[in-house]
């Protein structure tokens, strides 16, 4: 692991409540990233303080179930059952996330022993980056417009911070490479002050298995106009406040 953050679960209830996320698109992205990028899951059983490491084998969004690999030492999970309380921690994209639940059932996946849990309805994302980042929801994508020269199809933001953004667009992965500089990108915020000019540097490229005509790009972003960074910071903070208010109103 390259991160320095503790893999132990966060226990501070105030932090857990403050950074709790329940929007379905956000949960799907976080869990899918853990699954597809093969991040470890650190499992903590509440009753006897047992700890083990596993990985996601499969996520069935239709049934709301998730299968996990059994630990190397099978005895660590041998007593898991419907009443087993747990906390699981992972680090998708270097950011610490955790979720809790009750019920780890002995199961099978593709003919091998496995563990089965319910897909969590809430995940806590504990920000550990140098720049504050928000996940893009439907409202953000309706408010923000990103225009890249030579890209005619729709562009959707995945996340955005002062340092960069994740985005999905209709293009071939082979047309992009790490380190590529994309100049003259226009970013329009809903503050009525017009578009701003930014420069993107591609840092990672991820084909979308379910949509081969689409690709996800992780980019560093440099604002090129005076006052643009302050505008973006105001928008990010307002968006985070809105998302938290929406979450609390649902709860």
């Amino acid at each position: 692991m390259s991160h320095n953050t503790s893999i132990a679960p966060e226990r501070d209830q105030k932090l857990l409540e403050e950074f709790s996320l329940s929007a379905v698109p956000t949960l799907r992205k976080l869990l899918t990233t853990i699954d597809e990028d093969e991040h470890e899951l650190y499992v903590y059983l509440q009753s006897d303080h047992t700890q083990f490491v596993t990985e996601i084998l499969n996520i069935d969004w239709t049934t709301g179930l998730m299968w996990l690999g059994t630990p190397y030492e099978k005895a660590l999970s041998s007593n898991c059952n419907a009443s087993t309380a747990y906390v699981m921690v992972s680090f998708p994209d270097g950011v610490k996330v955790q979720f809790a639940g009750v019920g780890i059932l002995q199961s099978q996946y593709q003919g091998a022993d496995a563990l089965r849990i319910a897909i969590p309805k809430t995940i806590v994302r504990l920000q550990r980056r140098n720049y504050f980042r928000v996940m893009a929801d439907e409202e953000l994508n309706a408010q923000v417009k990103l225009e890249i020269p030579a890209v005619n199809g729709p562009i959707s933001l995945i996340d955005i911070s002062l340092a960069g953004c994740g985005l999905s667009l209709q293009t071939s992965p082979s047309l992009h490479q790490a380190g590529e500089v994309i100049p003259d990108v226009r970013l329009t915020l809903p503050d009525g002050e017009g578009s701003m000019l930014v420069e993107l540097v591609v840092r990672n490229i991820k084909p979308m298995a379910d949509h081969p005509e689409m690709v996800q790009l992780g980019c560093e972003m440099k604002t090129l106009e005076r006052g643009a960074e302050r505008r973006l910071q105001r928008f990010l903070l307002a968006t985070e406040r809105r998302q938290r208010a929406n979450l609390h109103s649902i709860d």
Side-chain angles (χ1 to χ4, degrees):
M1 296 182 302
S2 59
H3 56 80
N4 295 316
T5 306
S6 169
I7 63 174
E10 177 60 57
R11 304 292 185 182
D12 186 319
Q13 195 59 37
K14 184 177 179 180
L15 280 179
L16 296 180
E17 292 175 359
E18 184 176 5
F19 294 103
S20 178
L21 304 169
S22 59
V24 173
T26 302
L27 300 185
R28 288 182 71 115
K29 172 179 167 48
L30 289 172
L31 291 173
T32 299
T33 299
I34 294 171
D35 178 21
E36 293 182 351
D37 293 350
E38 299 180 348
H39 291 287
E40 299 100 333
L41 271 179
Y42 302 92
V43 182
Y44 297 80
L45 305 184
Q46 304 284 60
S47 58
D48 58 3
H49 305 291
T50 296
Q51 306 171 15
F52 60 85
V53 182
T54 185
E55 70 284 331
I56 296 176
L57 300 178
N58 184 55
I59 304 174
D60 190 330
W61 299 104
T62 303
T63 62
L65 298 174
M66 192 159 67
W67 282 261
L68 310 175
T70 55
Y72 182 75
E73 297 180 48
K74 299 294 192 294
L76 293 177
S77 63
S78 60
N79 295 323
C80 289
N81 54 49
S83 61
T84 301
Y86 61 83
V87 179
M88 299 191 185
V89 178
S90 192
F91 290 84
D93 297 326
V95 175
K96 184 177 183 178
V97 303
Q98 71 180 59
F99 57 90
V102 176
I104 303 181
L105 301 181
Q106 307 294 328
S107 184
Q108 292 270 311
Y109 180 72
Q110 294 186 343
D113 290 340
L115 302 173
R116 194 183 76 203
I117 64 171
I119 294 174
K121 297 185 182 300
T122 300
I123 292 180
V124 178
R125 188 184 73 232
L126 298 156
Q127 192 61 260
R128 290 294 185 267
R129 293 178 180 271
N130 293 327
Y131 288 91
F132 183 73
R133 180 180 65 153
V134 297
M135 304 296 289
D137 54 17
E138 289 184 9
E139 186 169 341
L140 186 147
N141 268 303
Q143 293 176 333
V144 176
K145 185 177 182 182
L146 198 65
E147 299 172 272
I148 299 177
V151 175
N152 297 318
I155 301 170
S156 295
L157 282 166
I158 299 170
D159 54 60
I160 183 169
S161 74
L162 290 176
C165 62
L167 52 94
S168 62
L169 65 159
Q170 187 170 333
T171 183
S172 170
S174 63
L175 296 178
H176 300 277
Q177 58 184 358
E180 170 192 359
V181 177
I182 306 177
D184 302 324
V185 177
R186 292 213 163 266
L187 177 67
T188 305
L189 303 177
D191 57 7
E193 298 185 29
S195 63
M196 63 178 73
L197 198 63
V198 302
E199 181 180 272
L200 300 180
V201 180
V202 177
R203 292 305 181 196
N204 56 73
I205 304 157
K206 185 176 181 180
M208 299 176 67
D210 296 338
H211 302 281
E213 77 283 2
M214 302 287 291
V215 68
Q216 292 183 352
L217 301 180
C219 301
E220 287 186 15
M221 180 169 62
K222 180 180 180 182
T223 54
L224 301 177
E225 298 174 3
R226 187 173 183 177
E229 184 171 307
R230 186 177 294 274
R231 286 178 58 195
L232 181 55
Q233 184 175 42
R234 286 200 303 264
F235 172 72
L236 293 175
L237 292 174
T239 298
E240 179 68 9
R241 285 196 296 268
R242 170 183 62 77
Q243 291 178 340
R244 290 187 193 172
N246 289 346
L247 173 62
H248 293 314
S249 67
I250 292 173
D251 294 341

